[in-house]
Amino acid sequence: MDQNERIKAIVEKQREFFYTNKTLDIEFRIKMLMRLRRAVISHERDLQRALEDDLGRDPAEAYFCDIGSLVLEINETIKGLRRWARPETHFSGIQCFPSVLTRVYKMPYGVTLIISPFNFPILLSLGVLAASIAGGNTAVIKASSKSKNCTKIMKKIIKETFPGKYVTVLGGGHDIADICLEQRFDKIFYTGSPKIGKHVLEKASKNLTPVALELGGETGNYCIIRKDANIKDAARKVAFFKALNSGQICININQVAVAKEVANEFVVELKKAFNKQLGKAPLYNSEYPRLITERAYDKCETYANKYKDRIVYGGQGNKASLKFEPTVIYPVDIHEEIVNKELFSPLLPVIPYEDDKIEELLDVIKRREKGLALYLFTEDIEWADRTMRTMQYGGGCINEVCLHMMVKGVPFNGVGHSGMGAYHGEWGFKEFTHPQTVLFGSSKWNLSMREHPYREWKKILISLFER
């Protein structure tokens, strides 16, 4: 059996299983989520080793970013699922009398496809799976070929935990993803680049399949530091985040815009923060992750060489280990190429701007593609709040970085070139369900005013009821 036939058979078996209505049962879904949680916890060491082999992740970082966050996500889903899935009851309105009862059922889509990335291969595969299971769906996970060790252990875990007619993990490259996209799925969830996101949408359009996209954003995520900010605190947090996973994070800071009045001070504090957190030789620090492939390394090195005359920190790499130092490039103009695309690396361009011209800076950012995240550092919380309420982006923080995605009960995703749809917790349940409205009609006391012929008294009653 070739790959086309094999994948088609998997989808057909999952569809037949879905048609048994077994996944509609809430207790079944909770049982499956508990089974998933138990499998993740029991394979914690295996997952940590796979993350170390693929990305050079320290076990602590592997647990914090992927494994622990996944367990928290599953816990939240188990706790809230009965309430989330409960049908809503609505009063139909006097205009529908005597059929005054309407219910909204939260129905699963059916067979779902989850295409996951390499950067957080466990969380962004099994975390999305938890939302799909909660919604009452079956799932095919197309895991990344770049993080091959994580894909291998996930295939093992899922095969031990669920029958293939319910959940299946596939490896392979773009060819396998394209074969999956040729199948008729009922929902697709893709995490990755805007370029591939467009391809996924195009393929999905052939079957009018609803799609959720989590994308990094075409021009990256901005961090803005005002002159009144706590510079040392900002530098410490920016350094932590830029070093995390070697910058390979969809919500990471792509560039920092710093008020000229404090730009030099910020660069000095940023250097100190990197040295404190990673030491003066990050390439030999076992806690510092590596880039995923030689291609990613070469792309990072090429950009660094192009801007080598403005590198004020870092700039060196080791191709054998695929590690590249956190690299600060300063000063950079906001219109230069490097700040007009997502870098997905430890390179950090620093853009000085005049603080009293902050609105001009915001206007430039506003006219570019919408980012997945926005970070502001300032003591002027009123300004920050107003800015956050007028800019368009996926999510963000004021005087903090990245932690917004760890808050329970709130949605996560982008808009436009940084994504569509939303998930995490109840929002993930909503993403993987369709609300179906059903009015319960009455066979007694029916009024004929909505039926022909339209007498004058009917027109009067209709205008009264629908006023």
Side-chain angles (χ1 to χ4, degrees):
M1 184 183 295
D2 66 15
Q3 293 285 23
N4 281 281
E5 292 175 344
R6 183 173 76 92
I7 293 171
K8 184 178 181 181
I10 290 170
V11 176
E12 288 176 350
K13 286 178 182 178
Q14 289 205 0
R15 196 174 305 286
E16 287 305 311
F17 180 67
F18 178 75
Y19 285 153
T20 67
N21 289 339
K22 193 170 184 179
T23 65
L24 296 182
D25 180 55
I26 303 303
E27 298 309 315
F28 171 82
R29 301 183 208 179
I30 291 174
K31 183 179 178 181
M32 294 302 102
L33 287 166
M34 289 178 171
R35 189 180 289 182
L36 177 62
R37 178 178 62 186
R38 188 163 57 248
V40 171
I41 292 171
S42 65
H43 286 86
E44 178 184 329
R45 297 299 180 199
D46 295 327
L47 292 169
Q48 285 176 320
R49 277 194 293 271
L51 286 163
E52 182 178 7
D53 291 341
D54 286 331
L55 290 154
R57 290 260 193 88
D58 182 82
E61 186 172 303
Y63 189 85
F64 172 71
C65 291
D66 267 87
I67 304 166
S69 295
L70 172 58
V71 172
L72 287 174
E73 183 80 9
I74 297 171
N75 286 343
E76 181 184 358
T77 304
I78 291 171
K79 184 179 179 181
L81 184 54
R82 288 187 184 89
R83 176 170 50 85
W84 303 340
R86 192 179 301 138
E88 297 176 12
T89 301
H90 296 261
F91 172 56
S92 304
I94 193 67
Q95 71 274 14
C96 297
F97 183 86
S99 306
V100 294
L101 177 65
T102 293
R103 288 208 174 105
V104 178
Y105 300 105
K106 287 71 175 286
M107 299 298 293
Y109 282 103
V111 184
T112 65
L113 172 63
I114 299 165
I115 305 178
S116 58
F118 72 83
N119 58 331
F120 291 94
I122 308 303
L123 178 63
L124 297 181
S125 297
L126 304 187
V128 181
L129 173 63
S132 179
I133 289 174
N137 306 280
T138 69
V140 174
I141 300 173
K142 165 56 187 76
S144 175
S145 60
K146 294 178 181 178
S147 48
K148 59 183 180 180
N149 293 290
C150 288
T151 295
K152 183 178 179 181
I153 187 61
M154 281 195 294
K155 289 175 75 172
K156 178 178 185 292
I157 290 171
I158 294 301
K159 191 173 183 178
E160 291 174 354
T161 307
F162 303 114
K165 64 183 180 181
Y166 182 47
V167 183
T168 298
V169 176
L170 301 175
H174 293 305
D175 57 331
I176 300 300
D178 276 341
I179 293 172
C180 288
L181 290 170
E182 290 296 332
Q183 310 306 313
R184 189 182 185 102
F185 283 93
D186 302 301
K187 175 77 176 187
I188 298 173
F189 193 109
Y190 167 77
T191 304
S193 71
K195 179 182 177 181
I196 304 300
K198 293 176 185 178
H199 177 67
V200 171
L201 273 179
E202 182 182 358
K203 291 288 187 179
S205 69
K206 294 179 181 179
N207 291 314
L208 294 179
T209 303
V211 176
L213 302 175
E214 184 194 329
L215 312 173
E218 197 84 359
T219 51
N221 309 310
Y222 269 84
C223 174
I224 300 172
I225 301 175
R226 301 292 305 271
K227 68 178 182 181
D228 66 345
N230 183 324
I231 300 303
K232 188 173 183 179
D233 178 70
R236 177 175 64 88
K237 291 171 178 174
V238 170
F240 148 74
F241 201 21
K242 200 62 188 178
L244 190 69
N245 208 31
S246 201
Q248 300 166 112
I249 306 176
C250 56
I251 60 168
N252 211 325
I253 298 165
N254 202 67
Q255 55 269 318
V256 181
V258 188
K260 282 183 178 179
E261 295 87 340
V262 294
N264 289 334
E265 179 188 354
F266 171 75
V267 170
V268 169
E269 291 296 337
L270 188 59
K271 293 178 185 179
K272 290 180 183 177
F274 277 128
N275 287 337
K276 184 177 181 181
Q277 294 179 34
L278 297 175
K280 294 186 177 181
L283 298 181
Y284 303 98
N285 186 331
S286 62
E287 292 184 2
Y288 183 55
R290 60 173 167 267
L291 294 165
I292 187 67
T293 60
E294 281 192 18
R295 183 179 178 183
Y297 179 92
D298 290 343
K299 181 181 176 182
C300 178
E301 185 178 53
T302 298
Y303 262 119
N305 288 338
K306 187 174 181 179
Y307 289 87
K308 61 183 179 181
D309 59 323
R310 283 179 275 171
I311 290 176
V312 295
Y313 181 86
Q316 300 300 312
N318 183 328
K319 194 165 186 176
S321 65
L322 296 182
K323 289 189 176 185
F324 204 93
E325 293 176 330
T327 299
V328 182
I329 304 170
Y330 171 74
V332 177
D333 186 82
I334 197 169
H335 299 292
E336 291 189 56
E337 179 192 10
I338 197 170
V339 294
N340 278 280
K341 57 178 61 182
E342 186 185 21
L343 298 172
F344 222 63
S345 73
L347 304 182
L348 184 61
V350 178
I351 305 164
Y353 73 94
E354 294 180 31
D355 196 66
D356 61 356
K357 295 182 179 178
I358 182 64
E359 297 305 323
E360 293 180 16
L361 173 74
L362 293 176
D363 187 64
V364 172
I365 297 172
K366 192 180 294 185
R367 293 176 185 276
R368 292 180 177 172
E369 298 299 348
K370 300 171 182 67
L372 185 56
L374 176 65
Y375 304 104
L376 306 179
F377 284 88
T378 178
E379 293 299 306
D380 188 348
I381 302 303
E382 185 179 342
W383 170 85
D385 181 54
R386 185 171 65 254
T387 300
M388 286 298 200
R389 286 188 285 111
T390 54
M391 298 291 285
Q392 289 181 298
Y393 51 94
C397 302
I398 299 171
N399 292 325
E400 191 48 271
V401 293
C402 82
L403 296 185
H404 64 290
M405 73 167 294
M406 303 191 73
V407 180
K408 291 183 179 180
V410 299
F412 174 77
N413 209 358
V415 57
H417 278 240
S418 58
M420 59 179 65
Y423 77 117
H424 284 186
E426 185 175 4
W427 295 86
F429 169 81
K430 290 177 179 178
E431 190 61 56
F432 279 94
T433 54
H434 167 66
Q436 291 181 187
T437 299
V438 177
L439 179 140
F440 286 71
S442 173
S443 59
K444 298 179 181 179
W445 306 107
N446 279 287
L447 298 178
S448 62
M449 65 178 183
R450 57 181 176 264
E451 301 167 4
H452 294 288
Y454 291 135
R455 307 297 187 193
E456 192 62 33
W457 66 269
K458 291 184 180 182
K459 295 178 183 178
I460 293 170
L461 284 177
I462 290 172
S463 65
L464 288 172
F465 288 156
E466 295 191 348
R467 191 175 294 274

